[in-house]
Amino acid sequence: MPEKLHVGLAERSYPIWIGAGIWDKLPGALAAVSFPRRIAVVTNPLVAGLYLERLQGVLSSGGFSSEAILLPDGEEHKSLATLETIFDYLIEKGFDRHCGMIALGGGVIGDMTGFAAATYLRGVPFVQVPTTLLAQVDSSVGGKTAVNHPLGKNLIGAFYQPRHVQIDVTTLESLAEREFAAGLAEVVKYGVIRDRSFFDWLVERAADIRLRERSCLIEAVARSCKIKADVVEIDEKEDSLRAILNFGHTFGHAVETLSGYGEIKHGEAVSIGMVVAAEISRSLGLCSRKDVEQLRTLLASFRLPVVPPDYPLSEYLRVMGRDKKVRSGVLRMVLNRGLGDCEVRDVPDPEALLAAALKSLS
């Protein structure tokens, strides 16, 4: 039986089901949330080759009809131009307000499907069926949907919650090693910002996690989703607490932007960003050198990068200045307090702090 979590957001509340081999339970889950019977499944060719036929068979067995929209694969295609291909298909095929959408794939597919669902006919329901670790522990939960702009990541989007999230960890068995490692960065993040015991568990079970032992994967995904759900319930639209989920993302997004979307994977960039943020925290007396080293060691054990690319400091500062967390021209960063806690702090003059951090980590 799947492990079931609940994201409590009044009329926008929804369940998260987590388990191994639970796709056959999807029709019942959809019926439980009164999901429309006509569905557009949005995916990419790689995921479609692995899972589309199986998913459509499961949907058909439960009385749902589905059609597939295939999008090009990769972060570089997370754009308004690609989004239009979704709208073109829905309009041409006569999908109305009584249809639904399913995001089958990773974070790029989930974000674009959610944004399309939020805006098509002013909103149709959608469901997340994430197939990558990054999507399972992060982007499929919480209702952030967006596309990228050449000047910055996720700058065009909406908060729009799914009706249901169905997470089957068996899909992780087909994931490339680099993709799997990228997802582990977000898992580590939750331990650093919110739960020291979870961080210690990750250290203890690192070898089993790397081997993708199913019970470990279920626990890692469930604990990550529970932390995120708890935060989202308190602060759905990132007015306060939810900003802590961006630990490592301010610098990480700059790495992604400067390297060209898709060159460095999101999780890899977040891994680098977490180490940079931790080094800044150390310089401000919020954590110890041992904390930074423990974080670096765990990330490295998951084969994640921990050294920032050698771009000029001025370029990092320029891109970080366009970050969504900038308020009135002042950069705000999530900084860890030891391991297991964090705070959001204004950084009015980040140049000196960032220069010192980059020098220390080079």
Side-chain angles (χ1 to χ4, degrees):
M1 292 296 293
E3 183 163 343
K4 297 180 180 180
L5 302 177
H6 179 77
V7 183
L9 293 168
E11 72 279 0
R12 295 181 310 287
S13 298
Y14 55 95
I16 306 169
W17 290 13
I18 305 163
I22 63 169
W23 269 21
D24 61 333
K25 301 184 184 301
L26 183 59
L30 296 180
V33 296
S34 302
F35 202 70
R37 291 283 161 173
R38 187 184 184 195
I39 298 171
V41 179
V42 183
T43 187
N44 64 45
L46 176 63
V47 176
L50 293 168
Y51 301 116
L52 180 59
E53 184 178 354
R54 179 178 162 198
L55 178 69
Q56 290 189 300
V58 167
L59 292 172
S60 179
S61 70
F64 294 87
S65 66
S66 63
E67 301 169 47
I69 303 173
L70 267 61
L71 305 182
D73 189 19
E75 184 79 26
E76 64 271 26
H77 298 294
K78 187 179 167 184
S79 65
L80 286 170
T82 305
L83 196 69
E84 289 228 357
T85 65
I86 301 177
F87 296 140
D88 290 346
Y89 186 95
L90 296 174
I91 294 168
E92 289 169 2
K93 297 295 184 178
F95 279 79
D96 59 24
R97 284 191 174 127
H98 302 287
C99 73
M101 301 174 70
I102 288 180
L104 173 66
V108 170
I109 290 294
D111 278 11
M112 286 198 292
T113 304
F115 190 33
T119 50
Y120 182 64
L121 300 177
R122 297 188 176 91
V124 297
F126 86 109
V127 162
Q128 293 271 17
V129 182
T131 60
T132 68
L133 182 57
L134 186 66
Q136 290 179 357
V137 302
D138 184 48
S139 58
S140 68
V141 178
K144 276 188 175 181
T145 72
V147 295
N148 298 330
H149 187 277
L151 296 180
K153 184 176 170 67
N154 293 333
L155 294 181
I156 304 166
F159 287 97
Y160 194 67
Q161 301 295 340
R163 287 279 186 89
H164 175 75
V165 181
Q166 187 94 352
I167 299 174
D168 192 327
V169 300
T170 61
T171 63
L172 303 180
E173 294 169 7
S174 64
L175 209 58
E177 189 65 38
R178 187 179 174 194
E179 291 282 357
F180 181 71
L184 288 172
E186 294 282 1
V187 176
V188 171
K189 176 194 75 177
Y190 291 114
V192 176
I193 65 172
R194 202 73 172 165
D195 188 344
R196 175 60 190 260
S197 68
F198 184 34
F199 183 93
D200 292 339
W201 179 84
L202 291 171
V203 172
E204 179 185 337
R205 302 305 300 270
D208 291 328
I209 292 168
R210 284 197 303 271
L211 292 173
R212 309 188 201 191
E213 199 279 319
R214 283 187 180 181
S215 64
C216 281
L217 293 179
I218 291 171
E219 181 161 357
V221 171
R223 291 179 74 166
S224 298
C225 287
K226 180 67 167 62
I227 291 170
K228 184 161 189 179
D230 288 346
V231 171
V232 170
E233 286 177 353
I234 295 169
D235 178 23
E236 180 183 4
K237 296 188 176 179
E238 206 170 296
D239 294 321
S240 54
L241 180 66
R242 186 168 178 171
I244 69 172
L245 299 176
N246 291 312
F247 178 65
H249 286 57
T250 300
F251 189 84
H253 283 170
V255 169
E256 287 185 88
T257 300
L258 291 172
S259 63
Y261 296 128
E263 217 31 58
I264 294 177
K265 295 189 178 297
H266 175 69
E268 295 169 340
V270 168
S271 174
I272 295 167
M274 286 192 290
V275 174
V276 170
E279 183 61 27
I280 290 174
S281 296
R282 186 197 65 76
S283 70
L284 294 172
L286 298 175
C287 73
S288 67
R289 187 174 296 280
K290 180 181 178 182
D291 295 328
V292 178
E293 287 307 310
Q294 283 184 297
L295 173 59
R296 283 178 61 125
T297 299
L298 180 58
L299 292 169
S301 77
F302 288 141
R303 299 183 177 89
L304 284 161
V306 294
V307 177
D310 190 23
Y311 296 114
L313 176 63
S314 60
E315 287 297 288
Y316 278 124
L317 292 168
R318 177 181 62 81
V319 177
M320 290 169 69
R322 289 198 294 264
D323 190 271
K324 296 183 296 298
K325 293 173 287 300
V326 170
R327 291 188 180 180
S328 302
V330 177
L331 181 67
R332 306 178 83 224
M333 289 191 70
V334 185
L335 301 175
N336 58 300
R337 292 200 295 248
L339 294 171
D341 196 9
C342 65
E343 66 178 56
V344 182
R345 179 176 288 204
D346 287 347
V347 186
D349 185 15
E351 183 171 357
L353 286 173
L354 186 58
L358 293 177
K359 182 177 180 182
S360 176
L361 296 171
S362 61

